[in-house]
Amino acid sequence: LFSQDFSGLDIGNVMLRFRKDFPSINERDYMLFMLLILDFSPRAISILQDLKTEVVYNHKSKLKRKIAASNSEYKDEYLSYIG
């Protein structure tokens, strides 16, 4: 069902760290990050959030740029979760 290996992944802690590292991130991006680390496809996310798939891809790209530009010690980990 999922292509991501979740063994050893504590999603709650990842999300807490993410929120701490990005306190000003909007709820849409926070939810997008969570759905991506849970291995939801952009198509599935578009259905859940009632958005066009292209919009999800655009938001994902913007989120990746925000993470990559950050000084978070976990940025490589965050980027690995969302591809």
Side-chain angles (χ1 to χ4, degrees):
L1 177 61
F2 293 105
S3 62
Q4 178 103 1
D5 177 13
F6 291 108
S7 59
L9 175 62
D10 184 346
I11 293 172
N13 280 339
V14 171
M15 296 308 296
L16 286 173
R17 278 194 326 236
F18 185 76
R19 178 69 84 182
K20 182 180 176 210
D21 287 346
F22 300 94
S24 62
I25 203 162
N26 62 45
E27 287 301 314
R28 181 199 67 217
D29 286 343
Y30 186 76
M31 179 64 72
L32 176 62
F33 180 75
M34 182 180 68
L35 293 172
L36 289 169
I37 67 170
L38 290 172
D39 207 30
F40 280 72
S41 69
R43 177 71 180 132
I45 294 169
S46 72
I47 292 168
L48 288 170
Q49 295 189 336
D50 194 29
L51 298 169
K52 291 185 179 186
T53 306
E54 311 86 62
V55 173
V56 174
Y57 279 112
N58 288 339
H59 289 291
K60 180 180 174 183
S61 294
K62 289 177 186 176
L63 179 59
K64 286 172 79 171
R65 285 194 300 271
K66 285 180 191 177
I67 294 169
S70 76
N71 293 323
S72 170
E73 66 180 287
Y74 302 106
K75 75 177 169 182
D76 291 334
E77 179 184 351
Y78 298 148
L79 291 170
S80 74
Y81 291 139
I82 63 173

